[in-house]
Amino acid sequence: MQFMLLFSRQGKLRLQKWYVPLSDKEKKKITRELVQTVLARKPKMCSFLEWRDLKVVYKRYASLYFCCAIEEQDNELITLEIIHRYVELLDKYFGSVCELDIIFNFEKAYFILDEFLLGGEAQETSKKNVLKAIEQADLLQENIDFQMRLFAGVMVPNMASESSGLFQN
Amino acid sequence: MKELMVRAIYCESLGYEASFSYIHAIKLAQQGAGLEKRVGYLAVSLFLNENHELLLLLVNTVLKDLQSTNLIEVCMALTVVSQMFPKDMIPAILPLVEEKLNHPKEIIRRKAVLALYKFYLIAPNQVQHIHNKFRKALCDKDPGVMTASLHIYLQMIQENPEGYKDLTASFVTILKQVVGGKLPIDFNYHSVPAPWLQIQLLRILSFLGKNDQSVSELMYEVLDESLQRAEMNHNITYAILYECVRCIYTIHPKSELLEKAAQCIGNFVLSPKINLKYLGLKALTYVVQQDPKLALQHQMTIIECLDHPDLIIKRETLELLFRITNAQNVMVIVEKMLEFLRVSTDDYTTIDLVGKVAELWFIETMNTVFSVGGDMMQPDIPNSFLKLLSEGFDCVEDDRKLRLFAVDSYISLLHGEPGKLPQRFLQVISWVLGEYSHLREELEPASVLRLLEKLLDMKQTSSETKNWVLMAMTKLCVGGASVSVAQQVSETYISSMDTVLRQRAQELQHFGQDSEVRTRVLPRDTDLENTIFDVDSSLSFLDGFVSEALAAGAAPYKPPHQRQEELAQAKALSLEPYGLSLPISMSSCSIADRQSPTPLSMSSGLSTTLKLDGVKRVWGREGYLVQRESVEETAQVEVPSPLRSPSQQAEANGSHSQTPTQTPTPEPEQEKQQLAASLFFGLSSQSSVCLMGKSGPTSHRFRRKAKGQGSISGATEQTSKTKLNDSDIKGSDPSLSEDSGLVAADSEDMNPHEDPERPKDLCLSSHLPAELSGLCHSEISPLCSIQSLDLSACHVQKDDSLVLVIFIQNSSDSAIRQIPLDLDSDELEVMYYVSRVSDSPVEDVRSHDVAVYQYSLTVKRPSVHVEVVGTVSCPVGTPQTVRFSYKLPLTTFIRPLTLSTEEYGTMWLAFSHDTKQNLTLISDDPEPLTATLSVLKRKLQLHVVEIIGMEGILACRLLRDRPCLMHCRVHAGALAVWLRSPVPDLPDCLIYHCQRALQED
C-alpha cells in the first residue's frame, strides 16, 4: 500500500498515512486531486479507480471516505477488506465510531492504524489482537498516570476524563 | 506537551506549516514516557519522511527503546522503524532488530520481521546475510510472524523466482493448512480463514509457478481446493477467488483449472455488483490473451459495460477490447476508444490510454488499420503514429520494445508482399525502418536497404513514397555493402524528373560518401523530447543571401500585414469594375502614370493606350475613354464608383479642364474631349464655375456637376439617367455631407423642375440667404423629420467664419408658429446668426414654405470631427421633441494663413503645443515635396509659406484667428511633419487630416 487517506464528504482530510516517501508538496497535490476525483464519483460507481499510475480503492462509511492507493499487483478486494477491518477496529475501540471520534481522537486512530498496518502491509489482521495491543499501551499510560497522581498528588483533570472515557469503552 | 504535539499534527493535516514542531516531536519521543513517547513517535512518523535530516536525531532514541525492557516501548520503536528509518543508519540498529526475531513475544517478532522487510525494501544488500533468519521466521510457530515473513518472501521471489523453488512445497502446505481451517480462529475474517495469508500465498505461488510446469503441478491440487472452498458470498471470498484465477492463469496452464477459473470470471463479469464486474473485466483482460473465446462468451456483457456510466468500467472495457482487437473489429474498437477519449476529461487518463494504445498491440492494430484503411485515411494518422513512436513514453525500456516490435513486424511484412500494402503504410514502414532498424542488432542495414530498394522498384510506388524510402535509406547507409546499394539507387534517381526525389537522391549520395556529415545531420538515437534543435527563427544565416539579392535589385521582403495593406491599397487604385477584367493592363497603366504625372505623363499615357488596344474594341470608343479616365483618376485619387462611361467622360473632361496647365492635352485627347463635349455640352462652363470655388474642388464635385448638367442637357442618353439615379442616392447619403467637398453655390442656376430627382435639395438651396448664395456650400443633408416638418442643414464656408444653415420645411397646410430649435455642441461655440426672415430664433413657418436658420460656428476645442447636436420640437399636435446632429470635419474651419517666412519664424518659437509625425510622401512625382504640399494646400487649405530645398513651411488658421504652423522635411522617403500651435489638440487633429488627405491622394 502506498498511502491511506481519510477525508470527509466536504473534502476535509481527517487522517493520512503515507507509506512511500514523498515531499509535502507532492502529498498535498495528490491529496487535493484524489479527494476531488473520489468525491465526484457517484455512490453506485465501483470502488476502484485507476488514477494516475495508482490503483485507488475507496469506500465510504457514513460521511467519511476511506481511500487507499495500492500497488499494481495488489488485490483490490482485499484492500477493500482492509478498509473494512480498520473501520471495524475503530468501531470496536470507540464504540460505534463516528467522524467526531476520529476528529477528536485522531491520534488514537493513528495508533490503531499502526497496529493494524505496518509499513503498508497488513500486520495483524485479528481484531482481538490489535485491540489488545492498543489496550496494553493505554494501560501503560494509565499506570503512569496513576503513579504520577500518587507521587505528585496532582491530578490533571483533562487527563483523568480522557482515561476514564477510554475505560468506558 | 503531548496535547500541543497532537495539535501540531492536526495543524499539519489541515495543511498548515508546523515545521517548528518537528524537533519537539523528536524530543517528545526521546524524553517522554508512555503515551507522550507514543505521540512523539507518531508525530515523527507523520511529519518526517525517510529523507528528512532530523530523522538522524531519532536514531539514538530508537536504539534506547529497542533495548528497553518495556514491551510497549520496544513495540513503538519497531513500529517507527518499520515505517521510516534513515537508510544509512540501518547497520546501527540491525543487530538489535535481528535479536528481536527471537523475542518470546510474537508481537515483537512480527514487528521485527516487518522492520526487516522495510530494510529489505530500502536497502536489500544490508539484510543479505540474514536470509536464513527469514526462513526461521517463516517456520515460526506463530502464524502472524509467518504471515509477516511472507511479505519478505513475496518481494524476494518476485525478484528472483528461481532461488526459492524449493520452498514451493512449504508454501503449498501452508496454504493447504490455511484453506483446511487449521489456523486458530483468531485469524478468521468473517469466517474465512486468514484471507490475507491466503492471498499472499497465492501471489507467491503464481510467481513460482510461472513458466514452470513441474512447480505448477505441485499447486494444482491446492488451487482447486481454494476455488472450491471459496464459495461463500462475501467480498473476501471473491478476493481470494480473484487471486486464485490470476494464479491459475499465470502458472503453467491446466485445462481443468482453467475451465473453473473461466467460470469464476464469468460469475464476476455477470455479477450485479459493480466492483466484481470491474474485477471480472480486469480478469478477462488478463486472460483474454490465452483464451479469446472467453471474451466471446461475455460479448454482450462487454458491450453493456462499454456504455456503462462509470468511466472506470468503461476504461477497463476498452482495455479489454484492445486485447481482442483484430482486423475485423479494429474499426469499431478504435471508434469506441476515440469516443472515450472525447468524453474523458482527465489528462492523465488520456495520456495513459493513448500510451496503451501505442503498446505492442497498437502496432498490430495500426498495421491492420494501415492495411485496411490504406490510402483512404487522413495523413495525420500515420503522422501522429510516428510521433508517438518517436517521442515514446515514460519508460525507456517500453519504448525500445515498442520500436523493436514495430521494426520486426515491418521487416516481416516487407518480406511478404509489399506490393499489396497501401502507400501510406509503406511510408510509415520506411520511416520506422530508417529510424529504428538499428535497434535490432542482428539485422544488417544492407539487407534492410535491399528490402527498401525493392519498394523503389515496384511500379505502383508513388513518388511520395519513394521520397520516404530514399530518406530512410539515407539514414541507414553506413559503411560497406550498404553504400554500394545506396550509390546504385541514388544514381538511378539523381536524374529523376521529380525535384524532391532528385534532392533526396543527392542527399543519399552525399551522406553515403561522407559518414561524418551523416552522423552530424542525422544523429542516431535522438529522443525528440530531449534534443533541442537549434532553430534560428530569425533565419539570420540567410542575411548574406538576402543582402546580395537586394543588391541585385530584388524587392525587399514585406511582412504579410504590410502586403495585405498594400494589396488593399492596390485594390482601391484599380477601379473595381475594370480591375477584374483588365488586371494586367490596369496595373501597367497606373504604374506608368505614377511614374510621371507631370507633362511627361502624356507619353506614358499614350503607351498605355497602345496596350489597351484589345480592350478598345470591346468597349468601343467610350470604353477607351473610360480607360483613360481611370488612369487620370489614379492620379487624382478619386473614389472609384461604378459609373458608366458618359459621366466618367464628363468627369475626365472636368478634371482636364480643371488643371489645363498641368497637363497640356495632346491632340488625340482633345479630340476625345470634343467628342465628349459634344455629347454633354455645357461642360466647359461647368468646369469654369467650379474653378471659381475657393478650395481645390474634388472630382467628386465634378461628377455631381456633370450629372446635373447631363440631365439639363436633355438626358440624351438613357445611361446617364440611370446613373444619375444611383449617384443621386449617393448624394443624399448623409455620410457624404461629411466630406469636405463643397458644391459651388450656383445650384440655383439649375431649374429644379427639370430635375425631379432632387427637388428638395434644389428647393432648399434656393432658400439660401443671399449673402451666402455666392459661396461654396456643402450638400444639403436631411437632419430629421418631425411631423410635417423636415429639417435639413448645410454649412457654408466663409473667409472668416463657418455658417451652419438649417432649413425647416413645412409640408403641412397650416403655418406652424414658434418652433423651438436649440443647438449645442461640446466642441463648438454656436451663435445664432441673423436670419434673413426674422430676427428671432423662434419663428413661424408658413405652410409649404421653408424657414432658414443661420448659425455661426467657431471651434472651442479642436477635435478631428466636431458635432452640433440639436433638438427641435413641433408645437403642433402632440408635443414631440426630436434630436438631431450634424457632423463637420475640422478642416471646414481651417483657412489659409498668409504670412512671411520671418513672421513664421517668430511665431514658431512662441507656440507651445506641437506634434511630430511621419507622413507618406507622394513619391511618384519628381518633386515629391512640392506635390505633397500642393495636395495639402488644395485639400486642407493650408498656405504654403515657402519651400526651401527639402523643407517646406506651411501655415493655416483655425477660425477665427488661431494659427497653426507646419514644418515639413523630406526624410528617408517620408515626410517628417512638425506642427505647432498655441491651441492644444489642434496639431494632433490637423495631422490626422493631413494623413487622410495624403492617403486619399
Side-chain angles (χ1 to χ4, degrees), chain B residues 463-476:
Chain B
S463 62
E464 198 193 342
T465 312
K466 281 180 183 166
N467 273 327
W468 287 72
V469 173
L470 281 176
M471 267 162 81
M473 290 177 123
T474 315
K475 287 170 201 160
L476 278 173

Side-chain angles (χ1 to χ4, degrees), chain A residues 130-145:
Chain A
V130 172
L131 292 178
K132 207 167 80 189
I134 298 288
E135 267 162 30
Q136 274 175 353
D138 287 339
L139 205 62
L140 177 81
Q141 180 63 36
E142 177 62 19
N143 286 340
I144 290 168
D145 286 348

Side-chain angles (χ1 to χ4, degrees), chain B residues 800-813:
Chain B
D800 54 350
S801 64
L802 186 87
V803 180
L804 177 69
V805 186
I806 297 182
F807 304 90
I808 303 183
Q809 199 173 19
N810 182 4
S811 54
S812 74
D813 290 333

